Every structure is written in structure tokens, then in C-alpha cells.
Amino acid sequence: MSRIVTVGAAQLGPVQLAHTRAEVVERLIALLRQGADAGCDLVVYPELALTTFFPRWFVEDISTADHFYETSMPNEATAPLFAEAARLGIGFCLGYALLETLPDGTQHRWNVQTLVERDGSIVGTFKKVHIPGHEHHEPDRPFQHAERYYFEPSPDGFGVWRAFGGVVGMMICNDRRWPESYREMGLQGVELILCGYNTPKHYAPDPSQDRLQGFHNTLVMSAGAYQNGTFVVGVAKGGVEEGVDSLCESAIFAPSGEVLARARTEGDELVVAECDLDWCRQYTGTLFDFERYRRPEVYTHLTSQRGSTPPA
Ligand code: CDT
């Protein structure tokens, strides 16, 4: 039986502060319908797709930013997306901010992606593991990247799910820069990794990296795909959002590390590739046969320490 999953990377251009969720959901549905015309089984949206990238602003009272978070999924604003996807028989992956209130009254703020199957059922919700940027206001920056103020790091790590006829994992933006993200999923047999991102082109701590944003984006996802024998789908929200220019270059990577399809614009655009999940075995069954070749007994530093410790 064929295990071809036709995937659409649904890149978004900017979502400005003034844009309503209803307007954004209309754009998501337009991309979904393009996906239907292209024969997609799965459409993948970016990180924090429903709102502008609000961590670029610092607020003293975090609760004044609560309107950027969803408190349930689906909800009133996203119900039309869920309904249209189920009607079309297309699954999707949606990034958004989640404000969770536990029975004991404590509140938790997460940066998440929810994966939905073709019948409309929720497969799982992934919480971002690596939270970049800063915790406090840094007024000397041209814009903030206060994700560490707005989001807790996931305590759950990288799970995978049986969905779309294969093994699917998720990661969010900064997670894609860390080899551990891919390897954790690789060791659970992942075949398709879905990753939304918002990557400002300007990196205040080291602006010499600005011109390399596109290169680094391709570098990490191509290497992660190849070294773990998996497809990787990277989906941007990019363009100039509230004056901040962010990387686009959404792309779909094969287990060979090759780019199968890449966005050509800096706006809403669907990038489509047929992903034959059996291609993964050509890598995980040969050169990257983990069971045969990995040496976890000598990888002792990997889980026993956080920072690097050079010799004295
Ligand atoms: N959203 C996100 O994680 N963005 C980061 C920006 C760099 S850290 C300021 C990224 O890794 O692309």
C-alpha cells in the first residue's frame, strides 16, 4: 500500500496587530482550499499563526497580553477552519499561543502546534521545547524577542504520533536549530516532522548572522532530515510584520536532505510536495540504522549536562 502523503506548507505573509482572527482564519481557509485543489492530505501552518508575533513587545503586566492566547482549541474563531478541513477531508497542523488554566487555578502559557487528522479528530498538541530570546525588557533592542517572558518551556519533550499512515512529530521554530529535537523524534521512528516558524532577519545579539538567516534555516532542516531519515516541513510566517522583517523560505525536505519544494514569495503561498514515507527506510535501514550503528554508551555528555565543559 502506498504511503504517499501530499503535504502543503502553508506559508503566511505578515499578520498585523490590526488583523482579526476572523480575517486570519479566512486566509488559512483560502490556503486549505488551494491544498484541496493540489491533492493535499495535510496542510501545515506556521508558528503563532492566528496573531501577530506579539513577543516583539514587552508589557509589564503579562495578563494584558492574554488576548493573544487561545484558551481552547477548536474555539469560535477557528471552528470554520476545522469545519472546512473536515468537509474537504484534509488534515492540518496549526501553531498558536495557548493559555491553560489548571483545576488548581494556576495558569500556564505555551507556544503550541495542534495536529488534526483528515476526519477532524485532534491527533495531539505539541508544546515548544526550546524557548529563545529573553525574559526581561531589553529596551536597547530595535524590537523585543521576549518569548522567555511569554512562554514556559515544555516539560514533555518531543513525542511522535501515528497519523497520516506514518509516524509524525512536531517542533516549533527555535527547536529546528537543535539536533536533539530531531534525534529525540528519530529514536521514536519519526517519518514526517512539522515545524512552523517566525524568524526575524535581524538578530540583535549578533547582527553578523542577519545575512545568514536563510542559509541557517536550510542548513538545520536539511541536516536534521538527512541524519534522521525523515521528511521535514518548515513553514514560515514572514515578510514585514509590524515593521519587523522576517524570513520566509518555507520548504519541504526529503530524508535525503534535498529540498523538494520551496516558497518563492514573501506572502501567503502554498508549497506542495508528495512525501513517500517509505523513502525514510532507505536511510534508517542503511547508513542510519540506529540499532546497528549508534553508540549511546559513549554519548554520556548528551543527557548528563546542559552547557559545555571544556577541559581545565
Ligand atoms: N520564534 C522563534 O523561535 N524565533 C527564533 C528567533 C531567534 S532567537 C531571537 C528562531 O530560532 O528562529
Side-chain angles (χ1 to χ4, degrees):
M1 203 182 100
S2 147
R3 293 207 302 140
I4 295 176
V5 183
T6 303
V7 180
Q11 176 175 286
L12 285 180
V15 173
Q16 310 296 359
L17 191 57
H19 291 159
T20 64
R21 279 183 180 63
E23 287 169 331
V24 176
V25 167
E26 262 181 44
R27 289 164 63 186
L28 302 183
I29 289 174
L31 288 161
L32 190 73
R33 290 186 179 141
Q34 282 181 41
D37 292 342
C40 287
D41 301 294
L42 169 63
V43 165
V44 184
Y45 298 110
E47 177 191 31
L48 301 178
L50 297 172
T51 62
T52 199
F53 188 78
F54 60 90
R56 75 169 62 89
W57 298 291
F58 191 86
V59 292
E60 286 300 333
D61 176 359
I62 198 168
S63 71
T64 62
D66 281 356
H67 60 283
F68 288 119
Y69 296 75
E70 314 306 310
T71 52
S72 60
M73 191 56 65
N75 56 28
E76 202 184 326
T78 57
L81 173 67
F82 277 74
E84 185 64 354
R87 189 185 74 79
L88 294 169
I90 301 180
F92 65 92
C93 179
L94 179 69
Y96 58 95
L98 175 66
L99 176 55
E100 183 181 42
T101 304
L102 295 181
D104 66 5
T106 57
Q107 290 196 311
H108 298 272
R109 292 172 172 81
W110 310 108
N111 186 342
V112 305
Q113 277 178 185
T114 293
L115 179 61
V116 180
E117 254 290 7
R118 290 155 288 190
D119 63 0
S121 61
I122 289 184
V123 176
T125 295
F126 166 79
K127 296 172 180 153
K128 186 171 182 174
V129 171
H130 300 97
I131 309 292
H134 47 102
E135 294 81 356
H136 306 291
H137 192 209
E138 297 191 5
D140 290 344
R141 291 177 180 243
F143 55 88
Q144 303 294 294
H145 198 106
E147 274 197 72
R148 293 175 72 83
Y149 177 64
Y150 286 109
F151 300 115
E152 286 178 53
S154 167
D156 303 329
F158 296 95
V160 299
W161 291 265
R162 286 208 175 272
F164 298 91
V167 179
V168 183
M170 292 184 267
M171 59 186 181
I172 299 178
C173 195
N174 191 258
D175 290 328
R176 77 194 189 286
R177 302 186 191 274
W178 299 90
E180 293 88 347
S181 310
Y182 304 86
R183 188 61 109 216
E184 279 289 297
M185 291 185 265
L187 286 168
Q188 299 168 80
V190 78
E191 296 172 311
L192 178 62
I193 298 178
L194 314 176
C195 178
Y197 59 90
N198 286 258
T199 294
K201 289 181 185 168
H202 176 57
Y203 182 58
D206 177 15
S208 77
Q209 295 180 28
D210 294 3
R211 69 177 183 86
L212 300 169
Q213 289 295 355
F215 169 64
H216 289 157
N217 183 56
T218 299
L219 176 73
V220 290
M221 290 193 281
S222 176
Y226 168 65
Q227 291 170 337
N228 295 277
T230 180
F231 289 89
V232 175
V233 182
V235 190
K237 171 146 67 64
V240 182
E241 193 180 88
E242 295 296 329
V244 176
D245 195 6
S246 293
L247 185 73
C248 285
E249 302 193 21
S250 302
I252 300 176
F253 299 83
S256 58
E258 291 166 290
V259 176
L260 295 180
R262 191 193 291 279
R264 280 180 292 234
T265 72
E266 298 218 317
D268 292 11
E269 178 181 351
L270 191 76
V271 178
V272 179
E274 284 188 1
C275 300
D276 181 352
L277 301 185
D278 288 333
W279 191 351
C280 301
R281 282 295 298 166
Q282 284 180 233
Y283 290 85
T284 59
T286 61
L287 195 71
F288 296 126
D289 179 342
F290 289 170
E291 185 61 42
R292 184 170 183 190
Y293 297 118
R294 285 186 76 250
R295 299 286 319 287
E297 62 278 18
V298 299
Y299 305 153
T300 54
H301 296 280
L302 281 177
T303 56
S304 62
Q305 66 192 72
R306 190 191 303 266
S308 69
T309 52

